């Protein structure tokens, strides 16, 4: 039993016989008769009560008609949905925690207002976790700091971040030749900001004596505030941090102080929802 069988069956019922159904479907009568017989053989029941050339719907046929109408309507809805260029349905979006907290709220709010038929489900993680989730089909798209493998993902840059070292207010300037704070405060392995901080220590010929690993940038800044160590984050995260005046910012060397946040999705798996979000994000970023 397939959808074409159900279409023929429904046409026979609605037209009251084989002849008119064949005309409506632009088929020869023998073909319609054969398909109805094959459907009955497949189901193992008689769908019509035959009186000469007249057909009356049998009890089993009445049951099937209800299902046939629902299945054909659902198939039409599915076809319309996949061909529709309007953003609609569930949008599973991933993001780094710092991006979700600072950069994403305003454009995401604008996106939801503009496309009310989209239901956004947001999930946070580091770039490695997000990339795996996109490849596994668990996420439709994600936002993460570069680099993102171009051979596996389509991607566009949406936010350029100014990266800085953040320390307690009492921290003197961090200059070459003088020891850096011995404790590094960072997200888990896989976070690009942690990797950049580790590279910064390595370039100075130093190794942090201790790494404090936390899952929230607010927790990280709280630990920095009381002098436990230093961290590396986008300057933008301080915009919503109430104690930012009690922190000191220290520049990174040229070439290490900028990073792009990318919107990426599995190669060839773009959709109207992703295209619409890209448009909103790039419009917000340009302003």
């Amino acid at each position: 039993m397939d959808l074409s069988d159900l279409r023929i069956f429904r046409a026979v019922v609605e037209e009251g016989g084989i002849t008119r159904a064949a005309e409506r479907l632009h088929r020869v009568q023998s073909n319609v008769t054969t398909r109805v017989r094959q459907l009955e053989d497949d189901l193992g029941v008689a769908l019509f009560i035959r009186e000469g050339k007249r057909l009356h719907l049998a009890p089993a046929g009445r049951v099937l008609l209800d299902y046939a109408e629902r299945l054909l309507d659902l198939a039409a809805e599915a076809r319309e949905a996949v061909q529709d260029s309007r953003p609609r349905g569930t949008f599973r979006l991933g993001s780094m925690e710092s991006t979700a907290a600072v950069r994403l709220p305003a454009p995401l709010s604008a996106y939801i207002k503009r496309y009310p038929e989209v239901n956004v489900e947001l999930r946070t993680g580091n770039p490695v976790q997000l990339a795996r989730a996109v490849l596994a089909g668990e996420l439709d798209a994600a936002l993460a700091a570069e680099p993102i493998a171009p051979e596996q993902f389509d991607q566009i840059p949406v936010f350029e971040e100014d990266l800085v070292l953040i320390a307690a207010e009492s921290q003197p300037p961090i200059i070459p030749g003088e020891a850096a704070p011995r404790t590094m405060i960072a997200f888990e392995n896989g976070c690009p900001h942690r990797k950049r901080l580790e590279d910064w220590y390595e370039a100075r010929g130093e190794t942090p004596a201790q790494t404090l690993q936390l899952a929230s940038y607010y927790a990280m800044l709280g630990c920095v505030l009381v002098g436990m160590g230093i961290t590396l984050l986008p300057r933008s995260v301080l915009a919503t941090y109430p104690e930012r005046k009690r922190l000191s910012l220290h520049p990174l060397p040229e070439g290490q102080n900028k990073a792009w946040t990318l919107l990426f999705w599995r190669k060839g798996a773009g959709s109207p929802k992703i295209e619409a979000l890209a448009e909103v994000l790039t419009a917000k970023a340009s302003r």
Side-chain angles (χ1 to χ4, degrees), residues 6 20 38 44 76-77 89 116 156 184 221 229 249 265:
L6 296 178
R20 294 180 63 182
Q38 289 174 341
E77 182 182 333
I156 59 167
M184 180 181 89
L221 291 175
L249 306 186
W265 58 96

Side-chain angles (χ1 to χ4, degrees), residues 52-130:
K53 293 185 178 181
R54 299 183 64 184
L55 298 179
H56 301 280
L57 204 56
R62 294 186 185 280
V63 174
L64 179 62
L65 180 61
D66 179 57
Y67 283 99
E69 289 177 339
R70 282 189 279 167
L71 287 169
L72 291 171
D73 288 347
L74 188 61
E77 182 182 333
R79 181 182 293 276
E80 181 183 351
V82 299
Q83 293 177 343
D84 193 354
S85 61
R86 294 175 299 167
R88 61 193 298 176
T90 300
F91 186 15
R92 300 164 303 167
L93 180 64
S95 174
M96 291 174 56
E97 198 265 350
S98 57
T99 303
V102 179
R103 290 291 195 180
L104 200 50
L108 193 58
S109 175
Y111 179 84
I112 292 170
K113 288 177 182 177
R114 188 178 301 178
Y115 304 107
E117 292 182 273
V118 177
N119 176 38
V120 178
E121 295 179 356
L122 184 62
R123 167 176 162 185
T124 60
N126 64 48
V128 174
Q129 294 166 337
L130 296 173

